[in-house]
Amino acid sequence: ARSPRASSAKKETEKRSLMCSSATKLAPDDLYKEAIGSIAVVIANDSQGSGFVVRQDKRYTYLLTNSHVVDGSNNVSVKWSDGRKENAEVVADFGGTTRQKDLALLKIDAIRGKPLAFNNDSPPIGGDVIVIGSPQGLEFSLTRGVLSQVRNNGDFLQIDAPVNPGNSGGPVFDAYGCIIGVVNFKAEDS
């Protein structure tokens, strides 16, 4: 028989993030299948972007997105890959006055998806990257490319994966399923 403590630990582990495995690369389709339930379309005013689950507690799910996606709103709508739509409260908005502050945290009164794990180490230049988001309203699309360069002392990753309006706030994954960044802008004329 399992002790209540073991059962509780198992549940906590299941709620925890998609674990990053430095030993096993994921095929893009496998990464997509693992992550898509934790990625949402974020709609605020006339703005649309992407967001992803970063934390859960007993009854709430928290998503990270861009400040410019929430566009000063206190509440936004989110749409999940299974078609469910929900309201989310903007619990933190860092203002988006600089690229480093272009982040916002959303809270949903439900448990959705699972938290996705971050990798603080950048893949090597030329390492594979995958972006999942809603470019130009094409919801839950996957694009891939490579890490082209690390800029501004590690603050920005330059990637060649196609990104467009609607990808903003979405995750940038390495080949192991770890989030290495958040899409926050596209270079003009790219």
Side-chain angles (χ1 to χ4, degrees), residues 13 27-28 41 47 73 81 103 106 115-116 123 148 150 159 163-165 168 181:
T13 300
V41 176
S47 179
S73 298
S81 62
L103 294 171
L106 312 178
L116 299 175
S148 302
V150 178
I159 62 173
V163 295
N164 289 288
S168 292

Side-chain angles (χ1 to χ4, degrees), residues 38-44 47-53 63-70 76-79 102-104 106 131-141 164-172 182-184:
S38 298
I39 298 171
V41 176
V42 179
I43 303 160
S47 179
Q48 178 174 311
S50 303
F52 57 95
V53 176
L63 294 94
L64 192 62
T65 190
N66 287 143
S67 176
H68 76 265
V69 170
V70 300
V76 297
S77 296
V78 297
K79 180 180 177 185
D102 192 13
L103 294 171
L106 312 178
V131 175
I132 300 175
S134 298
Q136 304 288 349
L138 300 171
E139 298 173 350
F140 308 105
S141 297
N164 289 288
N167 278 115
S168 292
V172 179
V182 179
V183 176
N184 74 345

Side-chain angles (χ1 to χ4, degrees), residues 122-129 145-151 156-161 172 180:
S122 297
I125 304 300
D128 294 329
V129 297
V146 298
L147 177 64
S148 302
Q149 190 54 266
V150 178
R151 305 267 178 212
F156 296 103
L157 303 179
Q158 177 187 338
I159 62 173
D160 74 348
V172 179
I180 58 168

